[in-house]
Amino acid sequence: MAWETIIGLEVHVQLATRSKMFCACPNVFGAPPNTLTCPVCLGLPGVLPALNKQAVLFAVKTAKALNAQVHPHSLFARKNYFYPDLPKGYQISQYEQPLATTGKLEIETPGGTKVIGITRLHLEEDAGKLVHEAEFTRAGVSYVDLNRAGVPLMEIVSEPEISTPEEAMAYLRALRELVRYLKVSDGNMEEGSLRCDANVSVRPEGSRTLGTKAELKNMNSIRFVGKALAYEVERQVRVLESGGKVAQETLLWSEKLEKTLPMRSKEEAHDYRYFPEPDILPLAIEGERIEALPELPWDKRARFKRVYALTDEESGILTEHPALAEFYEALVEAFPNPKTASNWILVELLKTFRPKMNRLDFFPAVSPKRVARVLSMIEDGIINQSTAKDLLARLLEEDFDPEAFVAQQGLGQISDEKALLAWIDELFERHPSQVNEYLDGKEKVFGFFVGQLMKMSQGKANPRLLNTLLKQRFDARKPAS
Amino acid sequence: MPNLPFLTLAELRSGYSRKEFQPSEVIEAHLKRIEALNPELNAYLEVFGDGARDRARALDKKLAQGGPLGPLFGVPLAVKDVLCVEGTKTTCGSKMLEPFIAPYDASCIRRLRDQGAVFLGKTNMDEFAMGSSTENSAFGPTRNPFGLERVPGGSSGGSAAAVAAHLCQAALGSDTGGSIRQPAAFCGIVGLKPTYGRVSRYGLVAFASSLDQIGPMTKTSEDAAILFWAIAGHDPKDMTSSTRPVPPLEALFGQDPRRFRLGLPKEYFVEGMDQEVRDALLATLAKLEGLGIQVEEVSLPHTPYATAVYYIIATSEASSNLARYDGVKYGFSAKHADSMLELYERTRAAGFGLEVKRRIMLGTYALSAGYYEAYFKKAAQVRRLILEDFTRAFEKVDAIVSPTTPTPPFLLGEKIEDPLTMYLSDIYTNALNLAGLPGMSLPIARTGDGLPVGMQIIAPAFMEERLFCLGRLIEELTNPPIQGVPFDQPIA
Ligand SMILES: [Zn+2]
């Protein structure tokens, strides 16, 4: 039997606001435990939340980019449950009347562009973290770190319209790219600033009824989401094909075991007793406060293809991070050969940029103007490709004036005919037998001379000119026919 | 030298400005009275003796230097133990918070401090402000100065008793369903619940967030106005606090109450209203009518639902607000728990008193899946109708008057075993919290047994000045407002 997969994703995006959602504590990652806390985020008796306006504006911006309907009035709610990482005993979230509903996100699939519906987008606060690591803990003791408690989160829930693990991965990549473009989050899954839960079920192809779904958690990278979903789909098909029933349960992805494992049922038997948060007045959003959206990734991609005549792949990579796209455009402006500029970025510079491109504040560590001048020097025959590569590598390390450096270090190509002819003559004198071999028709020997001459010029001979001159000299020795 | 603890705020201010006495003398006189009388009354849970003396000495210097003095300068205040005062215990009358020391000041405390007030100590209360008699305190009940065998009311019973017995010039209380007004009535003082949002709740340990308000408990309406004025206004730390400007202090007395039309809700005259209470109210209204004030009947048709709606909303919010007391971070924590769940269960079983546990259970139930629509949601709908009742009534009248409580102060132990009867102490007060309206209780009479009887005045939202103006007039009619106070002799 053929099976059809139905996946819906719930993504939590940590917002890159300066301070937390309801207090003035800094919103940063990696500080020593419990140093970024105050009475409010510790949930001390008597404190009240003061809503971070920036977080609201970030969520509205994202909702607009997702073409979602932003509601002029939305409500905060309390989600009640006990856990040591939840200082107030409830999480401030949104339940009835969320900030935005009914949006869409386009993803790229092998079959072309597909639109995935967005059910809702709402704001909530993050919880703290329990620390179980051996270095901190005695046996049987866990510690609570509340640095993360109260960090603003945006939850984005998709419609169950994702049909394969690959589509799920494409959806996450598109969402991550979007939040980076909007500068609302660094979208870094490894550090937990983008987290994903998945609801997945299968049903016989053509069936109209939905299968029983399982909820997957604990997938810490886009790749793990793909692996976990692929495993889970296969498991559910196996269960159904052997006549069994899929249980409605929450499963955790174990990367170590490469399988999904059921969570203990006690941990999921919650009645959250949602009710409107009385400490926060209903949120009123007025249209005029929303700043204009930047050019979104899909629009930028289309424009790069059209304006710079790039391939899908080239425009795709160059628009992965807004700072990279900006770098490319600045380079093309100073060096108006879009194709060559793209090649040099993709082949020479990208490998250095890549590791830092998962940061919101990523910025190419080299000035596009300097790169343009290096590329222009190739075009003008001043330097050759291998010198250019060395120069770019150096420019990534430190800033300097490439032309002055080339002149100073004598890195320029030798295009001086006299000098080149002198070297040719010297070489002919040292290797008369090879000269004769060439003249006898063994044209392979030509390469030997080029190699020797490059060595003599320390790689700086202008290769095109060298070829021409070498041919001229051989022609001169050929007996007149 | 006048008998310092018996002064009003206005008298204190003029004494200071004429340099008849200085803050340390005022503070010392109060501390002496507290030392002598508190063991019997149990109004204060903690007294900041040396802290208050140090602060008073600093203010002495300021007084000597000269310059303008604000109305709160050198005023000795008592603070209900539900408000955070930096560096001091904030127990909320509960074993749960017995070890808790607040690391910050409530916003109203900060404001009063900045204006030169001196805090004498923290006063007793029903645990987490849940109760009407202060018998639910984990630290023993407070006694009513008008009859030591009687309750002072609650939950702000400690503050009310402290003001009535002159153990402070004025006090702060909190009111969720009547917790300022009912003890004010029982102790023969003035108690104001401001409009919801008029005073920042930041630093007030929450009972029911949509109902709680901090307010003054004082000897006179004028004192209530001064203390109200000092703590009112927007606070960015409390999103529910209003940005509406606070009128200048003089404007709080700027209306002529003789031109007011007063409404008397017919639904309030029900079985259970004590005859003496009823007579005292009607006699006061007759005096007002004698001055040309019109009194007419108004209708608040949803009154019979108010107590039920109140207990559903208050307990629902409380069940969530009190979830943070889990033994993990601060306060009481049960020993020898073998698991996380056991820690929660044992901490909460041993840390909370009976009434608090009862209300957490009620609220948890009302919010549970399958009951939310029938209880919480329905209550929220009826709450809106209760507000509309008042809105309609205020189209006809400037203020509404009623008894504060159906009965005079009852005996210690009389109702503690019967929570439903105890809940009826709130019937004239809790609707205002549901509607967010300001209300003030002031003493109008004594019963034959010499027990105080209070009258409640209700105004439209943010119209507190009507309460002060009318209050001052009534005080003139029933002058002197506080007579026959026990412990009225100066302490040597
Ligand atoms: Zn904080």
Side-chain angles (χ1 to χ4, degrees), chain A residues 20 22-26 36-42 146-147 149-150:
Chain A
K20 291 188 183 181
F22 299 117
C23 62
C25 289
L36 307 174
T37 56
C38 71
V40 174
C41 55
L42 291 175
L146 294 176
N147 279 352

Side-chain angles (χ1 to χ4, degrees), chain A residues 43-46 78 80 87 271, chain B residues 104 201 203 320-321 324 329-330 369:
Chain A
L44 292 191
R78 289 188 188 174
N80 296 285
D271 173 0
Chain B
Y104 72 101
R201 292 182 293 116
S320 175
N321 283 329
R324 69 190 63 193
K329 304 167 293 284
Y330 48 76

